[in-house]
């Protein structure tokens, strides 16, 4: 079964860190661009970060710049999102998604999605 599986979410205090993982099952991530999105309750799903299929280009949304880092490990067939200096407003369900072309901030540009992993930043 072809799927993306996110993990690594959880409860963390403000200022803390989490590393989210996006693992591919049934296919290789090589050749695919991977985006991370998030959706907070009552809000639209927004783009957080993206890494292109070569791994040479990474982009970040305004909320992630300077705090989050996206990377890919081809040997593990996984893309990571390292999140530091977390804030309560980072609370959301985080999703990874794939597409075959360059990075895009539009969720409609991605054809395959994972089930999401929840992140809660709170005392």
């Amino acid at each position: 079964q072809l799927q993306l599986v996110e993990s690594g979410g959880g409860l963390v205090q403000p200022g803390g860190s989490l590393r989210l993982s996006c693992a591919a099952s049934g296919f290789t991530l090589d050749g695919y661009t991977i985006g991370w999105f998030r959706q907070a309750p009552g809000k639209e799903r927004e783009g957080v970060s993206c890494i292109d299929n070569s791994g040479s280009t990474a982009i970040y949304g305004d909320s992630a710049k300077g705090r989050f880092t996206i990377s890919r490990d081809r040997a593990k067939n996984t893309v990571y999102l390292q999140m530091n200096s977390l804030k309560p407003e980072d609370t959301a369900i985080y999703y990874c998604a794939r597409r075959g072309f360059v990075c895009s901030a539009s969720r409609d540009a991605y054809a395959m999605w994972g089930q999401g992993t929840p992140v809660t930043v709170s005392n």
Side-chain angles (χ1 to χ4, degrees):
Q1 184 177 2
L2 307 181
Q3 60 181 348
L4 293 168
V5 181
E6 301 95 334
S7 62
L11 174 64
V12 63
Q13 293 184 339
S17 298
L18 285 174
R19 188 179 76 162
L20 306 184
S21 299
C22 174
S25 177
F27 69 99
T28 177
L29 286 178
D30 283 354
Y32 289 103
T33 287
I34 301 298
W36 280 99
F37 290 75
R38 68 186 185 186
Q39 188 164 16
K43 295 188 176 181
E44 294 288 321
R45 191 170 299 189
E46 65 171 346
V48 175
S49 183
C50 177
I51 188 166
D52 74 350
N53 52 9
S54 71
S56 62
T57 299
I59 62 173
Y60 298 91
D62 289 340
S63 63
K65 289 178 181 177
R67 300 188 298 130
F68 296 0
T69 303
I70 192 170
S71 62
R72 62 193 309 157
D73 185 330
R74 298 185 187 281
K76 295 184 177 180
N77 207 24
T78 299
V79 169
Y80 300 101
L81 184 68
Q82 177 67 44
M83 305 189 297
N84 299 327
S85 302
L86 284 163
K87 306 174 183 179
E89 51 263 44
D90 294 317
T91 296
I93 298 177
Y94 284 71
Y95 301 88
C96 65
R98 81 170 198 192
R99 70 189 305 258
F101 306 100
V102 298
C103 281
S104 171
S106 171
R107 62 182 181 179
D108 294 332
Y110 294 80
M112 176 184 286
W113 292 80
Q115 83 289 348
T117 185
V119 171
T120 302
V121 185
S122 174
N123 287 311

